[in-house]
Amino acid sequence: MLKISSRGRVGSLVPGHLLDIGMGGARLQVGQHLAEGSRVVLHAHFRDAKQKVTTVQFEGIVQRADDQPVYEVAVQFRRSGRILRQDMGELLTLRPTASPSRNGNGGGGAS
């Protein structure tokens, strides 16, 4: 699922099919034409062997977009993905812990 961000307006949801994903971006087929430079939020769903689904959210910008159906787009990610887990009906955002160099406390607990 891809959410298209619009300036000052509620973004629209566009279904899509993930073709390829990497550290810096993804390639997708989507159901409508997207303009290059559009800001998007990608929710990629990954299923494990036990059929549990993990969703990873990526924010990105459309770098390349076909203008003919089937619409293929290339999205460059703006930042790392966030893992969203669905446990007991609630959607939780799991954020990485701060690294010692970023929070300035040396990463230690109480001494």
Side-chain angles (χ1 to χ4, degrees):
M1 189 63 66
L2 202 60
K3 181 178 178 182
I4 311 305
S5 299
S6 302
R7 293 180 188 169
R9 292 184 288 186
V10 175
S12 60
L13 294 177
V14 176
H17 178 76
L18 185 62
L19 300 173
D20 189 23
I21 191 166
M23 294 295 290
R27 195 167 49 92
L28 308 103
Q29 287 180 336
V30 294
Q32 71 182 53
H33 172 71
L34 302 178
E36 291 179 7
S38 296
R39 292 182 184 267
V40 297
V41 177
L42 169 64
H43 283 196
H45 308 287
F46 300 96
R47 189 176 313 273
D48 68 12
K50 295 181 181 180
Q51 300 302 308
K52 289 186 179 181
V53 175
T54 298
T55 301
V56 182
Q57 175 182 299
F58 299 95
E59 295 179 25
I61 297 177
V62 175
Q63 296 296 311
R64 181 179 47 81
D66 289 347
D67 58 359
Q68 300 288 324
V70 169
Y71 304 106
E72 186 174 306
V73 297
V75 174
Q76 180 180 18
F77 299 146
R78 296 180 60 215
R79 58 183 61 130
S80 298
R82 294 187 326 175
I83 298 173
L84 306 174
R85 286 191 45 181
Q86 193 162 9
D87 292 336
M88 300 185 347
E90 295 182 17
L91 196 62
L92 304 173
T93 302
L94 302 178
R95 298 187 183 181
T97 57
S99 66
S101 62
R102 294 181 80 187
N103 65 14
N105 69 3
S111 2

